[in-house]
Amino acid sequence: MSRALSLLFIGALLPAVAHAHAVVEPARSAPRAYQRYLLRVPNELDIPTTRVEIRFPADVRVISFADVPGWQLEVVRDSAKRVTSAVWTGSLAPGRFVELPFMAVNPERETRLVWPVHQTYASGELIEWAGPEDSDKPASATEIRAEEEGRSPLPLLLAVAAGLAALASLAVALARRPTGA
């Protein structure tokens, strides 16, 4: 029995370990939205992470960054003053993660944004989270899609039905209440 529980526990942990990489959230957003993005970077080695760089997709207009205690930010711009990448330097202990927030304006059309991230460790080792999604070191991606107009009305209908059932129950309870004399 304990072996089965151990296998179940290991099986539950595997997806979390398999997905421990640099991720930009949210995974989905709307066209033209002013979106708060969050780059989350874990330290998976036994030495500190000292540098994190993200390269922004050409379709995105990055407009601001939040300060992150213990991390210095260098914003890289092209000749047109467009933000092309950001580099944070600091120290991220083994087994920890850091969240690096930024604001951006999404493209006007539906697309898939890919966020290449380069993570440098104190030893000089560089991990490039820039591969395809089925690779060992995938780049994070955000789907830019309009909200679906043909969404199912079922949740609204269920909410209305629940409200009507509650009102009917209240009416029955009030009708059965004895009147005082």
Side-chain angles (χ1 to χ4, degrees), residues 44-97:
E44 299 173 325
L45 298 184
D46 293 331
I47 54 176
T49 292
T50 57
R51 184 177 191 272
V52 175
E53 177 181 2
I54 184 170
R55 296 188 180 147
F56 298 111
D59 291 348
V60 172
R61 185 169 51 98
V62 177
I63 55 176
S64 66
F65 296 88
D67 289 328
V68 178
W71 290 84
Q72 299 297 313
L73 171 64
E74 175 191 351
V75 177
V76 180
R77 298 174 187 273
D78 63 14
S79 60
K81 305 286 186 209
R82 187 182 83 75
V83 177
T84 58
S85 66
V87 179
W88 288 268
T89 54
S91 184
L92 178 60
R96 305 284 188 204
F97 67 91

Side-chain angles (χ1 to χ4, degrees), residues 3-169:
R3 180 181 164 119
L5 286 175
S6 297
L7 290 174
L8 180 63
F9 181 72
I10 290 170
L13 284 179
L14 283 178
V17 172
H19 294 296
H21 55 267
V23 175
V24 174
E25 294 179 346
R28 183 175 177 188
S29 188
R32 296 176 300 282
Y34 281 72
Q35 181 68 56
R36 178 186 187 270
Y37 285 101
L38 183 68
L39 167 59
R40 183 174 296 120
V41 181
N43 184 343
E44 299 173 325
L45 298 184
D46 293 331
I47 54 176
T49 292
T50 57
R51 184 177 191 272
V52 175
E53 177 181 2
I54 184 170
R55 296 188 180 147
F56 298 111
D59 291 348
V60 172
R61 185 169 51 98
V62 177
I63 55 176
S64 66
F65 296 88
D67 289 328
V68 178
W71 290 84
Q72 299 297 313
L73 171 64
E74 175 191 351
V75 177
V76 180
R77 298 174 187 273
D78 63 14
S79 60
K81 305 286 186 209
R82 187 182 83 75
V83 177
T84 58
S85 66
V87 179
W88 288 268
T89 54
S91 184
L92 178 60
R96 305 284 188 204
F97 67 91
V98 64
E99 295 182 331
L100 307 165
F102 59 94
M103 287 290 297
V105 181
N106 288 340
E108 293 186 13
R109 61 180 170 63
E110 293 187 352
T111 189
R112 184 171 189 265
L113 302 175
V114 177
W115 312 94
V117 174
H118 297 195
Q119 180 177 9
T120 306
Y121 290 89
S123 65
E125 181 177 351
L126 173 67
I127 304 292
E128 296 183 13
W129 301 104
E133 59 186 306
D134 61 346
S135 70
D136 290 342
K137 296 179 182 88
S140 188
T142 301
E143 295 294 329
I144 304 298
R145 287 188 286 180
E147 291 294 321
E148 298 174 17
E149 291 184 30
R151 288 172 42 171
S152 170
L154 185 61
L156 177 61
L157 292 175
L158 290 174
V160 169
L164 290 174
L167 286 174
S169 296

